[in-house]
Amino acid sequence: MTGRVSGKTIIVTGGGGGLGRAISSLLAEEGAAVGVIDVNGAGAEDVARSLTEDGARSIGLGADVSDWRAISSAARQVGEALGDIDGLVNNAGVAALGSVHEADAESWRRIMNVNVSGVVLASKAVLPGMMERRRGVILNIASIAGLVGIRNMAAYCASKGAVLSLTRQMAADYASFGIRINSISPGTIASTEMGLRLLGGDESPEARSRRLARYPMGRYATAEEIAQAALFMLSDEAKFATGSNLILDGGLTAV
Ligand code: ADP
């Protein structure tokens, strides 16, 4: 097979979710063996099963990225099943609404644990092997929430800002080992906008059209559009990119 990531073994965390599934599928289509890891183990197995049915090599495992023992053991199992890890997509994440004056300490800790410490721990699980082999790619899924302030999303914005800064810091540490570390910052994905209801967001038609009006393109992203950028960053086509952040937001942060 001659895909854009043929012969590479790539882990996708949060691979059972909407965006994680789209990224996993596209990487598999382009020739990668994909280790799908998600705190929702059944979701991860389901994605891996469908990739395998389509002829790819894949394994699905349940693990919480904020739990070192769980994520390091899952990464080891992916290596045993699919071969040395060449790539990691840090896509697992959680969101919640709330401003600082009403911040709930437990929810704040959870968001920072999963969105920031989870990136650190999953990366720590794969970096020693990559350093030894002197090659590897890590892609962090950040967000425009790390670039601009979004009302009523304090913890999420802070966590994604930390991901952007960690991406630059890690690029500095690992460039000499032949390891590239980048991020992509999606704007709202259509399916996530629908999911806002679950977080208790304002679902009135006025609020919905106010949110959409911020997008010069007049629409939200599809998960597939974001997955295409992830594929590029993981492929050798992006071999001079490290410490960079690719924004995919239909123009929102440009205006
Ligand atoms: P999106 O629409 O951006 O894909 P989702 O909530 O569907 O958002 O996807 C996030 C994925 O990350 C989910 O599958 C979720 O189970 C997963 N996830 C959340 N927290 C963790 C965690 N601590 N460890 C691993 N996976 C996680």
Side-chain angles (χ1 to χ4, degrees):
M1 202 200 258
T2 53
R4 289 161 65 189
V5 284
S6 276
K8 295 187 198 288
T9 296
I10 301 174
I11 289 178
V12 180
T13 70
L19 179 57
R21 177 185 272 265
I23 294 173
S24 299
S25 305
L26 186 58
L27 293 174
E29 258 172 52
E30 291 292 334
V34 183
V36 183
I37 297 179
D38 200 293
V39 71
N40 169 8
E45 283 168 26
D46 181 53
V47 171
R49 193 174 317 115
S50 94
L51 300 189
T52 310
E53 279 166 10
D54 290 341
R57 293 171 63 230
S58 184
I59 180 175
L61 297 164
D64 180 341
V65 290
S66 66
D67 173 345
W68 167 245
R69 284 177 61 166
I71 186 63
S72 57
S73 146
R76 194 168 46 246
Q77 287 177 67
V78 172
E80 282 161 11
L82 303 177
D84 291 340
I85 312 298
D86 303 293
L88 165 67
V89 183
N90 281 311
N91 164 75
V94 285
L97 297 178
S99 303
V100 166
H101 70 278
E102 59 199 5
D104 156 52
E106 189 42 48
S107 155
W108 179 271
R109 252 195 307 275
R110 178 83 193 132
I111 291 191
M112 294 310 260
N113 265 343
V114 175
N115 295 6
V116 186
S117 304
V119 171
V120 172
L121 296 180
S123 301
K124 178 178 153 86
V126 301
L127 276 165
M130 290 179 173
M131 290 165 78
E132 208 177 291
R133 293 186 293 278
R134 302 194 82 77
R135 71 188 152 83
V137 192
I138 296 180
L139 176 67
N140 298 327
I141 307 301
S143 164
I144 54 159
L147 296 165
V148 296
I150 298 176
R151 268 187 228 125
N152 202 26
M153 282 202 123
Y156 189 73
C157 285
S159 73
K160 294 301 185 178
V163 168
L164 291 173
S165 144
L166 185 62
T167 301
R168 291 187 290 266
Q169 191 285 329
M170 289 174 67
D173 272 348
Y174 301 110
S176 63
F177 290 93
I179 303 168
R180 298 190 293 109
I181 322 271
N182 294 291
S183 59
I184 56 180
S185 288
T188 303
I189 297 171
S191 53
T192 313
E193 161 71 12
M194 291 188 301
L196 206 62
R197 199 176 314 120
L198 302 174
L199 297 175
D202 186 348
E203 281 300 306
S204 65
E206 297 74 32
R208 294 189 81 108
S209 57
R210 207 171 42 239
R211 288 197 293 269
L212 191 57
R214 299 184 66 192
Y215 283 82
M217 280 193 180
R219 67 172 180 87
Y220 298 121
T222 64
E224 289 67 30
E225 287 167 335
I226 308 304
Q228 288 290 348
L231 168 64
F232 168 69
M233 283 301 206
L234 285 153
S235 76
D236 293 341
E237 292 158 36
K239 69 181 191 300
F240 197 54
T242 197
S244 72
N245 177 48
L246 181 53
I247 301 172
L248 292 123
D249 68 354
L252 181 140
T253 54
V255 297

